[in-house]
Amino acid sequence: MGSTVERGEGSGGVEVAYGEGWDLGTRSLWRPLTARAAADRDAAGLPYVAVYRRAGLPLEVRLTSWREHFAGVWAYDEQGRRCRRLDLRLLDGDRLLRHRETRWTYPDGAAPEFDEGCEQRTVTLYPDGRTRDEHVRPGRGIFVTSADVPEEARRLDRPAFGAWPLLSVAPGTPVRTVEPERAPERGAEQDGEPEELWRAPRAGGPACVDELFRAGTRLATGYYPEVTVLAPVERGTLRIPSGRLAIDAPDNFDAGPELVVPVPPGEYVLEEAQVSVGYDCEWSRGWVTRTSTPAVRVRIGEAAVASWEMVLGKDHDPRLLGDGEVYGFGTDGASGCFADAGSWPVLKGLFERALVHGDERAGEHVEDSMYFLRTTDPAAGGGTGADLAAFYTTGDGVWPAWAGRSVEGDLVAVVVVGDHDFTSGVKVLAEPAG
């Protein structure tokens, strides 16, 4: 292992100070609070931090934000480097799940924070009893297995304000509260937020989903400096007589689809987004443009979308998501589909016959489209029929689906962005003219 030592018993007392936040870059308290003000924020569920120091150096910092079901701890070593992180989630009443814990072991005292030579071990616990133990060993690879964690070590009661146990000192170590020299006045002008302000985790969100279907919009991504949105292209319709729209990989081997969205029974237009992208191509030795299809959509209504929400499966708990994380359907075949959930077994079986076994009667192959195969259950809906429309993605992994709702809350559209270059870091350069 390495030479990292977390502070334990030693000379000098432990002091705690409170604030609205912690600047990870400067290792300093942001907007100091009195203990009374911090307790009020705790009771109201608002975010605040408790910073524990010894001899003026950070020992441990805890961020609490009950409105986001989160409490987290950063522990520092004797060189002032972060060496341990604990992520707690409030899921069941006043019980906290020790959702994730990561430890960094530094090769020596001179190594910088999060040096590439660090060993890193992360243990993740899930509410259903599943575990994941990931060990990163520089030069040797990543080793993943399950962790043997007894039930009593998985959860703890939510501590009262001021009664949290510390990770880095012996139990019972006295802690002295340090009040700010001058409490900030209510309503007083405050400095802007630090660039590296520690926040509770924020799940990933849609990246300009609506704009991908708005012709004339100009975008930029992390890969394409210039993108012009073209008019979306209609690719037929999808019949959903069951009133349950399924979104999943068409070769999913589970009994049911991963994601299901309730919709009024009916027939809905399928669309694919079209964009013109420009980039400097090393193979062509110059600037090139081409048309790309980054997203597909089921259009449920004609109203404007006022908000987007992540489509969740039955086992998906958004309170467990980390920064930028999303839920979605998983694929090992770089594909997804929209389908009628009521006819899922039949439609999926037809897909396999058409794609794997080459049965031309089982499905309709689609050319020059992000959608590549359609299957139909003609007996569904009392003879009205039910459909599956499979589409490409740019790779394997987990792909989220986004449900767009009107200002009244009605479902307007369901979208899957199937191109990694358009799932994050998308910026609007210009709205359509007029």
Side-chain angles (χ1 to χ4, degrees):
M1 302 298 282
S3 60
T4 297
V5 178
E6 294 181 22
R7 291 188 180 87
E9 298 182 53
S11 60
V14 176
E15 299 177 337
V16 62
Y18 298 96
E20 290 189 29
W22 176 250
D23 186 339
L24 293 167
T26 61
R27 290 182 296 174
S28 60
L29 198 62
W30 181 65
R31 293 185 179 178
L33 296 170
T34 64
R36 174 64 182 272
D40 289 344
R41 291 180 72 87
D42 184 90
L46 298 174
Y48 72 96
V49 297
V51 180
Y52 298 86
R53 292 186 175 95
R54 174 176 280 158
L57 297 175
L59 179 71
E60 207 168 291
V61 181
R62 184 181 65 256
L63 168 62
T64 304
S65 183
W66 297 130
R67 70 181 182 186
E68 294 165 297
H69 307 272
F70 174 81
V73 178
W74 275 113
Y76 289 77
D77 66 10
E78 293 182 338
Q79 285 73 38
R81 303 168 298 194
R82 283 173 283 177
C83 61
R84 185 178 179 186
R85 181 173 185 172
L86 180 61
D87 180 325
L88 301 158
R89 301 301 174 102
L90 185 64
L91 304 179
D92 304 308
D94 279 337
R95 294 285 285 170
L96 287 163
L97 174 71
R98 299 174 67 98
H99 178 48
R100 183 170 290 128
E101 182 171 1
T102 303
R103 295 173 184 254
W104 289 263
T105 302
Y106 292 90
D108 53 55
E113 188 173 65
F114 303 144
D115 182 70
E116 292 183 355
C118 290
E119 286 196 19
Q120 181 179 332
R121 186 175 183 182
T122 301
V123 175
T124 304
L125 310 179
Y126 297 96
D128 60 5
R130 290 178 298 121
T131 63
R132 176 185 171 91
D133 188 346
E134 180 179 298
H135 198 171
V136 180
R137 296 176 177 174
R140 299 178 60 186
I142 302 176
F143 303 86
V144 179
T145 184
S146 59
D148 185 13
V149 181
E151 180 59 32
E152 60 271 17
R154 298 173 62 90
R155 291 175 172 83
L156 69 153
D157 292 329
R158 176 167 63 169
F161 178 83
W164 282 82
L166 296 180
L167 303 176
S168 311
V169 297
T173 299
V175 177
R176 182 175 71 90
T177 300
V178 177
E179 299 283 10
E181 294 182 3
R182 179 173 173 270
E185 298 178 7
R186 289 186 179 271
E189 188 69 23
Q190 299 282 3
D191 294 334
E193 292 184 356
E195 289 186 6
E196 296 187 55
L197 181 67
W198 184 20
R199 303 176 183 275
R202 294 180 175 178
C208 299
V209 170
D210 208 26
E211 288 79 0
L212 288 174
F213 292 86
R214 191 179 300 155
T217 304
R218 292 179 55 241
L219 307 171
T221 74
Y223 187 79
Y224 298 115
E226 184 177 322
V227 176
T228 301
V229 179
L230 308 176
V233 177
E234 293 187 4
R235 297 296 187 183
T237 60
L238 190 77
R239 289 169 291 182
I240 311 292
S242 72
R244 297 166 59 234
L245 172 63
I247 310 104
D248 203 349
D251 55 356
N252 172 13
F253 294 107
D254 294 334
E258 182 70 28
L259 306 176
V260 176
V261 179
V263 300
E267 186 170 358
Y268 300 104
V269 174
L270 292 171
E271 295 176 306
E272 61 182 32
Q274 296 271 314
V275 299
S276 175
V277 297
Y279 58 98
D280 191 12
C281 179
E282 61 177 311
W283 307 113
S284 300
R285 298 181 182 276
W287 187 262
V288 300
T289 58
R290 67 177 180 86
T291 300
S292 179
T293 54
V296 290
R297 175 169 72 175
V298 181
R299 200 170 72 217
I300 307 298
E302 299 301 327
V305 174
S307 62
W308 291 95
E309 61 189 41
M310 189 187 310
V311 178
L312 301 175
K314 60 182 179 65
D315 297 323
H316 295 165
D317 188 338
R319 297 172 299 176
L320 291 173
L321 290 173
D323 273 328
E325 292 181 346
V326 294
Y327 289 119
F329 66 89
T331 175
D332 293 325
S335 60
C337 73
F338 297 125
D340 181 86
S343 294
W344 179 251
V346 174
L347 295 169
K348 189 174 64 169
L350 290 168
F351 174 87
E352 182 178 352
R353 283 169 48 192
L355 188 69
V356 179
H357 303 293
D359 185 345
E360 296 181 357
R361 298 170 299 175
E364 175 191 355
H365 292 270
V366 183
E367 302 293 336
D368 300 322
S369 171
M370 195 168 177
Y371 297 99
F372 66 92
L373 183 61
R374 295 174 58 93
T375 63
T376 296
D377 176 8
T384 62
D387 302 312
L388 176 150
F391 53 81
Y392 295 114
T393 65
T394 59
D396 298 342
V398 174
W399 295 91
W402 305 101
R405 297 191 178 276
S406 68
V407 68
E408 291 83 13
D410 297 326
L411 184 66
V412 176
V414 176
V415 173
V416 173
V417 179
D419 187 330
H420 282 300
D421 293 325
F422 290 85
T423 56
S424 63
V426 184
K427 298 179 180 178
V428 176
L429 301 180
E431 296 285 353

